[in-house]
Amino acid sequence: MFLGAWGGFLAWLILTPVRRLLPTDWTYVYVALDGALVGLWVGALVGALDGLADRRFGRTLLGLVVGGLAGASGGLLGLVIAQVVYEFLHYGDLWRWAGWTLFGLTVGLGQGLAALSLRRVFTGGLGGLLGGLLGGGVFILLVNVLTLSVTSRAVGFVVLGACVGLLIGLAHAALKPAWVKIVSSGPGEGKEFIVDKRVTTIGKDGDVLLAGDPGIAPHHAEIIREGKQRVLRPLQPNPPVLVNGQPITRHVLRDGDRIRIGQRELLYRD
């Protein structure tokens, strides 16, 4: 939510002086810049969220690039199409609203692609669609009803970005199929990791990030989706992977299982 809001604000900071330098009759340039820059900043910051949260440079960079490109293309395409339709049908606000909705959809899709998860592509796209629908409506309301051009655009972009970021996060959380939570004391205590890939790795450089124990390998274990089941499988012999206190070589996970690797303990929820 906060990163989305910051993305909207940064876009407004850039757009405001740029607009003053352009001729007033360059309508399509204004529209394209609005969509592309808001999409670029909101998409990049929302896409980088997972990497930033785990302090992983590679994933942060991937999120910035994929999220930014997806958001910029969706924002530009959505608002330009809306302007073209408006030229013929003269329902400007309705089509601009649709354009911001398309922008939100592409930001959510980009965030899912950056996470390398098809399920997150779906949940991110759904959340982004709803966020663009809500935020776009508020943006149009602020700009047209309050008629405070500079102030309303600033607030509108911030609200738009915040709505997209918030709804994407809520969609991921509400539709998560399974997750694990770090319950042992130490780095990351209380942090939850969504288990929504076909293969989810666990370790010091895994999808489930376990830091603070030198004995844990970068990829120490993995959770594999097999049909409707999720199977935990060790990738390293030491320290052993324990489930409910017992060492395992393969284990079909059930809701409430406790996974221990070295000094780190996880609670599995399904």
Side-chain angles (χ1 to χ4, degrees):
M1 175 179 176
F2 294 108
L3 287 178
W6 269 107
F9 180 70
L10 290 172
W12 172 80
L13 281 180
I14 297 171
L15 284 166
T16 299
V18 170
R19 275 174 159 263
R20 292 171 180 168
L21 298 175
L22 298 176
T24 56
D25 59 343
W26 285 18
T27 304
Y28 281 98
V29 175
Y30 286 139
V31 168
L33 282 174
D34 280 355
L37 284 178
V38 175
L40 174 66
W41 281 105
V42 174
L45 293 183
V46 171
L49 177 61
D50 286 341
L52 288 171
D54 294 336
R55 300 179 182 179
R56 293 193 237 190
F57 176 77
R59 293 199 179 187
T60 300
L61 182 60
L62 179 64
L64 284 170
V65 173
V66 175
L69 289 176
S73 59
L76 188 152
L77 184 64
L79 291 198
V80 169
I81 291 175
Q83 184 63 31
V84 170
V85 174
Y86 166 69
E87 297 287 344
F88 290 94
L89 301 181
H90 306 290
Y91 292 110
D93 289 346
L94 176 62
W95 289 105
R96 289 190 183 95
W97 194 2
W100 285 124
T101 302
L102 177 60
F103 144 78
L105 171 65
T106 56
V107 169
L109 294 176
Q111 201 268 351
L113 289 172
L116 304 176
S117 168
L118 288 177
R119 178 173 284 273
R120 290 204 194 185
V121 169
F122 169 73
T123 56
L126 177 61
L129 179 75
L130 296 176
L133 188 67
L134 176 61
V138 173
F139 175 81
I140 291 169
L141 178 68
L142 288 170
V143 172
N144 292 342
V145 175
L146 299 183
T147 64
L148 302 172
S149 57
V150 176
T151 304
S152 61
R153 281 174 60 81
V155 176
F157 283 146
V158 168
V159 171
L160 177 62
C163 286
V164 171
L166 174 64
L167 268 296
I168 289 174
L170 289 177
H172 286 324
L175 299 176
K176 59 188 177 185
W179 67 100
V180 292
K181 179 179 180 179
I182 299 178
V183 294
S184 55
S185 60
E189 181 181 1
K191 184 172 177 58
E192 294 182 352
F193 298 88
I194 298 175
V195 180
D196 58 359
K197 297 182 178 180
R198 190 186 69 81
V199 178
T200 300
T201 56
I202 303 173
K204 286 197 293 188
D205 193 33
D207 300 308
V208 179
L209 185 64
L210 300 182
D213 187 333
I216 296 178
H219 289 172
H220 204 98
E222 62 186 7
I223 298 174
I224 306 171
R225 186 175 68 244
E226 297 182 356
K228 295 183 178 180
Q229 297 178 330
R230 286 179 171 79
V231 177
L232 175 65
R233 187 170 71 90
L235 298 176
Q236 301 292 334
N238 293 305
V241 177
L242 309 179
V243 176
N244 302 324
Q246 300 298 318
I248 58 102
T249 56
R250 182 182 185 276
H251 177 79
V252 178
L253 288 166
R254 297 177 178 82
D255 184 56
D257 278 347
R258 287 183 172 263
I259 305 165
R260 175 170 285 275
I261 305 175
Q263 301 302 312
R264 315 299 284 146
E265 185 171 0
L266 304 168
L267 175 65
Y268 175 78
R269 303 309 304 267
D270 190 346

